[in-house]
Amino acid sequence: PLDRQVASSVCNGCRWLGENLGMVGEASRPLEVSLVALALHLAQSTHAPQAFHILSRNARQEGHDVRVLGEDLVPLPSYRVESQRPHLQPRHPHTHDAGNVAATAYALRLYCLRGEVLTHNIVRWLHSQRSHDGGWRSTQDTLAAWEGLREYSRQVVERQEGDTRLTITVEPLHDHTRAHTFYTTPANLLHLQTHTIDGVWESMRVQGKGRGSAVLQLTTRYYVTRPDLLARPPTPAFDLTPHATWQGHNGSSIAFTVCVRWVFREASESSGATVLEVTVPTGYGTSSEALQELVLSEAPVPHLRRTHFTQRKASFFFERVSGNNTCVEFSVERWFPVANLTTILPVKVYEYYSPELYQMELLDMSSVTLDICQVCGSYQCPNCPVLSYYSSHSPSLLHHHHHHHQYLLLPLTLFLLSISPTLAPS
């Protein structure tokens, strides 16, 4: 019975989509057009050719023979020419990255199923949009991209796998002795090969020889301590205001208050699924049960559905964020002392399915940073003064230290009195 109900629902859905193709072509977004065209093709609907025509009509021309489905024009990777050599520049996020990738990936899958041409250039464009190892912007567009690439691989690449023989050399321009070579053969075709670059390479040369296809990606990470050095989002989508206060001995407890609101009203009145990530100092922590109280309490945070704490990050998952301030308050305690903490910590909010819509701010945590002598807590620590130097200056402790000085001076006085007769003249 369930199979018949599913089949009936599919038929009803195909019939409705076919009857409303005109509305799809006039008012739908590129991602919706791609999904409708692919669904009608997989269902073998009589309206599939018309849907494909709408999809082709909405495709954007990117460069030479590259057709992309997207909300706006996404520029191809940029180059800088130095000494008559083109240098590929880092890729920066764009406003509709996730939707553009998903729409183009579904279109690629449809193109491959239909046996259309120009699929190779679409594959090249998809790979140019990768943001990290094995993924694009979000889980949804990554899955769509892999499905499209799998279909392309099944129809095109698998016929060439037995002939794949590639030698790819990567070397810094200023030092050819530090070159590294990757070898790709049918035996290791599915194995990820990586190489960690030590030192500063600045520009590098990539040279490939042989037969076949391969993807080479360079990933860089760096840390900043000034807000003006942060990579800003392509479009302001969130307003983020973090605040931290500390209390207790040497800042043993920190209370965070983070407020966020949606400001990208041109796209929608509220955001989609949103994630708020707050990095806490090393050595501080809280329990997942304590954070979960923000969801289960009698006055829960609006639209907050789940919380999670792992290592140094507290994560909050919202169903959506509105244009009004939504604030999260929580505390962390020092579990163990750590010296020389990072004084700047990031706080980030982003849309789960469109991570290019984000906002990041930096929190100054220098007031809770301990030096090595405070963590060691002993006069035996090298190059550290006595322990009382780091003690609190409360009246009771000061009085306690005063007594210590009296006990230290008394033996010294007795010692001087005991040797004074020997120093007296005869």
Side-chain angles (χ1 to χ4, degrees), residues 235-393:
T235 299
F238 293 95
D239 180 59
L240 179 63
T241 307
H243 182 68
T245 57
W246 40 89
Q247 57 189 356
H249 183 66
N250 288 334
S252 59
S253 177
I254 305 177
F256 289 92
T257 301
V258 184
C259 295
V260 59
R261 65 186 181 93
W262 176 253
V263 297
F264 194 16
R265 298 296 186 87
E266 295 83 356
S268 60
E269 289 298 316
S270 62
S271 72
T274 301
V275 182
L276 172 64
E277 295 178 343
V278 182
T279 304
V280 303
T282 304
Y284 287 80
T286 186
S287 64
S288 298
E289 290 77 11
L291 294 181
Q292 195 65 15
E293 287 297 322
L294 298 173
V295 181
L296 304 177
S297 63
E298 295 181 358
V301 177
H303 311 302
L304 181 63
R305 295 294 177 259
R306 189 163 62 91
T307 62
H308 185 58
F309 182 82
T310 173
Q311 294 182 348
R312 295 180 51 211
K313 185 176 293 183
S315 302
F316 305 87
F317 300 85
F318 295 86
E319 181 181 358
R320 66 179 184 273
V321 172
S322 66
N324 300 322
N325 262 338
T326 300
C327 297
V328 174
E329 299 180 1
F330 69 101
S331 299
V332 295
E333 309 292 334
R334 179 183 284 125
W335 288 350
F336 50 88
V338 178
N340 301 327
L341 291 172
T342 301
T343 58
I344 301 296
L345 296 177
V347 178
K348 183 178 181 180
V349 60
Y350 60 92
E351 264 209 13
Y352 184 77
Y353 292 111
S354 298
E356 67 272 11
L357 301 179
Y358 72 94
Q359 183 62 37
M360 179 181 292
E361 300 293 342
L362 299 180
L363 266 178
D364 183 5
M365 306 298 294
S366 56
S367 298
V368 296
T369 301
L370 304 177
D371 62 36
I372 189 63
C373 294
Q374 289 173 290
V375 172
C376 180
S378 171
Y379 68 92
Q380 295 178 335
C381 300
N383 303 319
C384 289
V386 295
L387 178 61
S388 60
Y389 176 80
Y390 288 102
S391 300
S392 173
H393 299 294

Side-chain angles (χ1 to χ4, degrees), residues 149-164:
L149 291 173
R150 171 56 188 160
E151 191 63 37
Y152 172 79
S153 175
R154 188 179 66 85
Q155 297 194 8
V156 179
V157 179
E158 287 183 355
R159 298 194 299 266
Q160 306 172 357
E161 285 184 355
D163 297 330
T164 299

Side-chain angles (χ1 to χ4, degrees), residues 118-130:
L118 304 180
T119 55
H120 180 69
N121 290 327
I122 297 177
V123 169
R124 290 175 62 89
W125 183 88
L126 274 178
H127 280 305
S128 72
Q129 304 303 307
R130 290 160 62 110

Side-chain angles (χ1 to χ4, degrees), residues 86-108:
H87 291 66
L88 181 63
Q89 300 301 294
R91 182 190 174 279
H92 298 289
H94 300 282
T95 304
H96 301 287
D97 270 346
N100 294 341
V101 169
T104 304
Y106 289 128
L108 171 63

Side-chain angles (χ1 to χ4, degrees), residues 396-422:
S396 60
L397 288 177
L398 288 174
H399 183 68
H400 183 63
H401 295 161
H402 180 65
H403 281 296
H404 273 297
H405 291 177
Q406 286 181 338
Y407 289 130
L408 290 173
L409 288 174
L410 181 58
L412 179 60
T413 305
L414 294 177
F415 174 73
L416 292 176
L417 291 176
S418 65
I419 64 173
S420 59
T422 63

